[in-house]
Amino acid sequence: MKKMLARSLSCLAFVSLCPLFVDAGEVIKVGVLHSLSGTMAISETTLKDVMVMLVEEQNKKGGLLGKQLAAVVVDPASDWPVFAEKARQLLTQDKVDVVFGCWTSVSRKSVLPVFEELNGLLFYPVQYEGEESSRNIIYTGAAPNQQAIPAVDYLMDGGVKRWVLAGTDYVYPRTTNKILEAYLKDKGVEEADILINYTPFGHSDWQSIVAEIKRFGGAGVKTAVVSTINGDANVPFYKELGNQGVSATDIPVVAFSVGEEELSGIDTKPLVGHLAAWNYFQSVETPENEAFIKQWHGFTGNPKRVTNDPMEAHYIGFNAWVKAVEKVGATDVDRVLDAIIGVTVPNLTGGKATVLKNHHLTKPVLIGEIQDDGQFAVVWETDGVVEGDAWSDYLEGSKDLIADWTQPVNCGNYNVKTNACGGAE
């Protein structure tokens, strides 16, 4: 009786359908590493929720390899060193078979050495700056060539000549803006026509910065803001845009980290016409997306809960992992990593996502315009999918690098000029 009670209590530690009185060895554990508190909770809580939903739905289908799945949820609390601690806990104490998690690049950078040391497997679902490819990470979010570069091209085609690169002060915005600055100069943009600004996580006083953006954009030349602002700082930023009357007609903002979830907490009427670049929007009309939204609303019990791009990335990553596990008949990380390259699963925009040799995905690119209901109307999209690049073509030291996790290369930073693994000389 005591053993049965202990097993029951153990199951309650998992936020999932976990059958009572089942030996731990009969459960496949799925780690969920997302901030449920702190500045990033506004974005990451939904990703925890969707992972729990995906695990439960898989269990309704009979589980995986004849076993039930259990979601093991931890809260790294928007604290980057804690991400590494929680990752180690998941791999060594909870002994999960796979982890889905992180949002910011600084959190991913924090956990990367842990996953490589312990040979764990992380699915990372958010757009990022590139310049990385780890054997132990599958990057299911967008690389810069699948979001940032197409967004700038779209604005250029619309006549934008001056550029504000506004970001949160950490690795993703700084590296992305370094790539974008090089790209803009390559396209003939003068340095004087590029304004770069960084603010800390959770920044709340945007009055002077928005005023500076207005002055920069008041030179009689069409100006746009490219925003890599992350987390809850977006709420006061967009509010201040409205307060100072910065409309999309005057100075359009295209955001890379603002989706339906972030907009759900603010009055979007003053923001109508501003843009976001993603690979998915809730407003996309496909049978796959309709079914996903219905499933989400049923799971949450709230028909007003929105979906967003990183949720789709987790949907794709989870289904690709399941397919690879079924392919090899095991959750062993090495075997799954070998099997997952080339795996193709449906995305939610009506196409397919394929896991590439560089551990990135094929993805469509969409530009969405904010509507007064907090949704996005798609105003532009690529013709088909774009293959994610691990390394930028616009940075010295990167343009000669590729990632290929198949033999004989089996390297994340292979130099095609020197034919050696290890990056630039």
Side-chain angles (χ1 to χ4, degrees), residues 9 17 27 64 130 168 176 185 187 198 209 215 245 252 266 276 288 291 296-297 317 322 350 393 414:
L9 293 174
L17 290 183
V27 176
L64 184 60
T168 302
T176 298
K185 290 179 178 178
K187 292 291 185 178
Y198 295 105
I209 294 173
R215 287 193 297 270
I266 59 177
E288 295 87 354
W296 176 241
H297 288 164
V322 167
D393 294 334
Y414 185 80

Side-chain angles (χ1 to χ4, degrees), residues 409-424:
V409 177
N410 198 32
C411 173
N413 56 352
Y414 185 80
N415 191 309
V416 296
K417 284 192 172 180
T418 63
N419 294 320
C421 185

Side-chain angles (χ1 to χ4, degrees), residues 40 80 103-108 124 126-129 167-176 198-201 228-231 257:
M40 292 308 302
W80 320 133
W103 180 291
T104 67
S105 285
V106 66
S107 65
R108 189 195 69 255
Y124 176 65
V126 185
Q127 87 292 338
Y128 87 119
E129 70 280 359
T168 302
D169 192 5
Y170 75 106
V171 61
Y172 161 63
R174 284 192 173 274
T175 306
T176 298
Y198 295 105
T199 48
F201 278 99
T228 49
I229 299 166
N230 257 268
S257 297

